[in-house]
DNA sequence: CTACTTTCGCGACTGAGTTGCATTAACAAT
DNA sequence: ATTGTTAATGCAACTCAGTCGCGAAAGTAG
């Protein structure tokens, strides 16, 4: 169980994800809202939003934690298996809608698949 | 240019990777050799070994940095594009020899592909 | 052995992320 | 609208992986 009360801080963070479809690093989010709330609050809100299947997280190439909006997830079922793309020039991170087939690994049970591609995004490769 | 002098510390670290084919986190390596060398030295040796194409690095699910032996790389060309598998029970990490096809992403140039699978390894799923 | 330069140890530091606790603010009930 | 309950927040202190600067030690060539 994640979000129970719709506080001002929760609304602020949610709006950031609503208005743009791109992923945000926690560090960047903290910077954006630093006049409105404490960094601990940002971490806690992101935690709760993720638990509720509203956003999902992954690690960037830099080792930072990134979050982006989910498309068809709920608190009980997280279905975000898509890869992510981090631009090495502008550092923007996107969720990719491509399907990547993982072959079954002999004698192993695969629970999760994290795929991070890096390179140049549409803007930077043009 | 990485390793220039074969010091005792370098030999010690190299042996760890020689004797077993599995990946090691830096934190674990530091623990293993803590009586023989300083942690800063471990970081620096790993850096140099990677530059020379002797080992390669990647991020674990935990966010820690992991290293494993390379198979056909050199200082000029790193060809480790294989996925990695982290066991959620024993926490062991392996390099996988499977080929995973990444479809071309429209209007993007892909430079690197990091794939991390998690689940149960051969031992833990048996 | 000597001279040169890389490598190392150590201590201090950085920065992302966490924790504990007192205070504030949702919100449901009255 | 007022009150009571407790989730959520702010703040300060903390953790811990990873980095940095610098003097000392050790590898290597001559
Ligand atoms: Mn995504
Ligand atoms: Mn590997
Ligand atoms: Zn870009
Ligand atoms: Zn295992």
């Amino acid at each position: 169980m994640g979000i129970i009360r719709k506080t001002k801080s929760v609304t602020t963070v949610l709006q950031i994800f609503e208005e743009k479809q791109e992923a945000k690093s926690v560090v960047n989010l903290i910077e954006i809202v630093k006049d409105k709330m404490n960094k601990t609050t940002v971490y806690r809100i992101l935690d709760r939003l993720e638990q509720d299947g509203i956003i999902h997280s992954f690690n960037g190439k830099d080792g930072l934690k990134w979050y982006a909006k989910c498309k068809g997830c709920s608190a009980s079922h997280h279905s975000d298996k898509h890869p992510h793309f981090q631009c090495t020039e502008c550092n923007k991170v996107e969720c990719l809608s491509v399907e990547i087939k993982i072959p079954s690994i002999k004698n192993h049970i695969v629970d999760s698949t994290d795929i991070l591609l890096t390179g140049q995004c549409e803007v930077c490769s043009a």
Side-chain angles (χ1 to χ4, degrees), chain A:
Chain A
M1 184 182 50
I3 293 287
I4 293 176
R5 298 182 182 176
K6 270 221 172 133
T7 64
K8 279 184 181 171
S9 297
V10 169
T11 309
T12 303
V13 172
L14 265 177
Q15 269 177 350
I16 293 170
F17 287 108
E18 302 289 339
E19 64 195 26
K20 268 200 182 180
Q21 204 64 345
E22 69 184 41
K24 294 267 182 201
S25 72
V26 183
V27 171
N28 184 218
L29 280 167
I30 289 171
E31 173 66 21
I32 292 172
V33 301
K34 70 161 178 282
D35 295 326
K36 296 181 180 162
M37 72 193 82
N38 187 271
K39 73 167 178 171
T40 311
T41 303
V42 178
Y43 280 107
R44 294 196 272 225
I45 288 175
L46 293 170
D47 263 0
R48 277 177 270 143
L49 289 174
E50 184 169 33
Q51 279 179 57
D52 285 346
I54 297 166
I55 58 177
H56 62 282
S57 68
F58 52 94
N59 299 318
K61 192 86 172 179
D62 38 34
L64 298 187
K65 199 166 190 183
W66 290 71
Y67 282 90
K69 239 193 122 186
C70 288
K71 276 161 192 173
C73 302
S74 64
S76 54
H77 183 64
H78 254 283
S79 60
D80 283 296
K81 292 183 175 161
H82 56 267
H84 294 105
F85 185 95
Q86 183 161 22
C87 180
T88 52
E89 289 194 23
C90 67
N91 213 35
K92 203 159 283 187
V93 175
E94 321 162 43
C95 299
L96 297 177
S97 300
V98 300
E99 189 79 37
I100 293 183
K101 251 227 168 122
I102 305 294
S104 61
I105 314 295
K106 206 185 169 186
N107 295 322
H108 291 242
I109 298 170
V110 176
D111 292 333
S112 78
T113 305
D114 288 306
I115 301 179
L116 180 66
L117 309 180
T118 64
Q120 285 136 284
C121 73
E122 181 157 12
V123 176
C124 297
S125 69

